[in-house]
Amino acid sequence: MYYQARAFLKDDKIYYAILVVNTSDSKHSAAQSNSIADVLDSFSLQYDAKNNSLKDISVYQDKTTVSTEYGMTFDLPQEWSKKEYGGGNVYANKDGDQSISVQVSSAASGDTLADWAARQENRFKDTYVTDYREVQGSKETTIGGATAIQNLYSWTMGDKWKQTYVVYIIKDKYKYELSMTYPKASNNETMEKQLANWTHSIQFPKEAMNRSMSIIQDEDDLIDPDRKVTFTNNKYAYSLQLPEMWFDGGVEGSSDSASKLISFEGGQLEHIR
């Protein structure tokens, strides 16, 4: 066995390049030794990505590129994964205390980015009382080459606070609501770096769009916060007047079960026979 190792020091790191060759020759020829030395001699602590004669053969990646059917791609930390709960596309870390949500819907005719972002901010304010929420305020930015509006929402249910950084984009007939949620107590420097890595990775390549994509209804546009719906239980002969928002636009208005649990932001209502 022919073994040779080199160590290289750069800044605060040491790099080891080790080459091991198993050979049946009892006497290793000078030509073979020279060829092995040439390989090690080529080691460099620089990489010219524009040089086509060099190839990046590294296999380690600290991120995963996600391609959605909505014509958008972005990078996630390697250990994050897609979750099967919640609407849209939701991705979270192993602990589940950090997540990214992608909500896409069709833009209504005449709707503007500023109007939509303002409606979403007002909907958040209407959900939490003043002492339990904070809003940084809308700010225009650019994401993936598209004009966007960003905002930062903070809220609590009485103990720990959470934050959601949201980006609103209207592009090619679709509304993109992209958000990252995390504990407010998180390390600011770490989260700012993570947010920057995520937002800078967002792209809208044309080939990523599913060509069969049609109209995607934004259910928020259909729900009137002041409108009531009637929940009826025919079997046990009772009915309830409930805010339409509690049904989130997707729960049937009647049921014959002995009990019913209806969840809403901040709590839940259960009635049992």
Side-chain angles (χ1 to χ4, degrees):
M1 182 175 67
Y2 186 87
Y3 177 98
Q4 190 172 149
R6 307 272 180 89
F8 303 83
L9 174 65
K10 183 178 181 181
D11 298 329
D12 60 343
K13 294 181 175 62
I14 297 178
Y15 299 79
Y16 294 95
I18 302 172
L19 188 61
V20 179
V21 177
N22 291 311
T23 175
S24 58
D25 295 340
S26 57
K27 294 182 179 179
H28 206 72
S29 68
Q32 287 176 312
S33 299
N34 290 337
S35 66
I36 293 174
D38 288 343
V39 172
L40 291 175
D41 289 342
S42 70
F43 183 88
S44 174
L45 290 176
Q46 296 178 345
Y47 173 65
D48 184 3
K50 297 180 180 179
N51 186 348
N52 294 328
S53 66
L54 299 177
K55 183 179 181 181
D56 184 0
I57 60 173
S58 62
V59 296
Y60 173 76
Q61 295 288 337
D62 62 353
K63 61 185 179 181
T64 300
T65 299
V66 176
S67 180
T68 73
E69 60 181 344
Y70 306 114
M72 181 185 67
T73 64
F74 56 88
D75 293 338
L76 289 177
Q78 184 71 37
E79 68 275 10
W80 284 44
S81 59
K82 187 174 182 179
K83 303 303 178 182
E84 299 302 324
Y85 57 82
N89 295 285
V90 179
Y91 307 84
N93 63 356
K94 291 181 179 179
D95 296 333
D97 61 342
Q98 299 178 17
S99 63
I100 285 176
S101 173
V102 177
Q103 304 281 348
V104 182
S105 59
S106 296
S109 177
D111 200 6
T112 67
L113 177 61
D115 289 344
W116 175 43
R119 292 197 306 272
Q120 295 301 91
E121 180 178 324
N122 288 333
R123 183 172 284 111
F124 174 79
K125 290 179 178 178
D126 290 340
T127 303
Y128 300 91
V129 296
T130 305
D131 292 342
Y132 288 75
R133 61 167 163 80
E134 296 174 357
V135 179
Q136 187 179 77
S138 297
K139 180 181 178 182
E140 188 171 304
T141 185
T142 301
I143 300 292
T147 300
I149 290 180
Q150 66 179 27
N151 210 332
L152 182 66
Y153 305 134
S154 305
W155 76 96
T156 181
M157 293 296 182
D159 47 5
K160 297 180 180 180
W161 282 74
K162 289 186 177 181
Q163 285 191 164
T164 296
Y165 171 82
V166 186
V167 175
Y168 304 104
I169 301 170
I170 295 182
K171 182 178 176 60
D172 300 332
K173 303 184 298 182
Y174 291 101
K175 299 186 298 185
Y176 296 80
E177 183 174 339
L178 317 174
S179 61
M180 178 180 284
T181 301
Y182 50 92
K184 188 178 180 181
S186 302
N187 182 282
N188 288 336
E189 184 176 345
T190 300
M191 287 311 306
E192 286 177 4
K193 180 179 179 181
Q194 192 163 311
L195 281 169
N197 290 339
W198 174 55
T199 54
H200 291 164
S201 72
I202 297 173
Q203 299 294 328
F204 295 90
K206 292 183 178 180
E207 63 274 12
M209 174 65 77
N210 185 340
R211 298 301 178 184
S212 64
M213 196 74 66
S214 184
I215 295 175
I216 306 173
Q217 180 63 57
D218 184 352
E219 294 183 356
D220 287 341
D221 292 341
L222 301 177
I223 297 176
D224 181 350
D226 298 323
R227 187 160 54 211
K228 301 293 192 297
V229 296
T230 301
F231 175 83
T232 303
N233 190 309
N234 295 314
K235 183 176 180 180
Y236 297 104
Y238 69 86
S239 64
L240 288 171
Q241 289 286 319
L242 301 170
E244 183 184 46
M245 291 186 65
W246 290 15
F247 288 91
D248 196 24
V251 180
E252 296 180 359
S254 64
S255 172
D256 291 336
S257 61
S259 64
K260 183 67 177 179
L261 179 65
I262 299 174
S263 298
F264 53 90
E265 190 72 28
Q268 59 188 26
L269 171 67
E270 183 176 14
H271 41 98
I272 304 172
R273 177 184 179 273

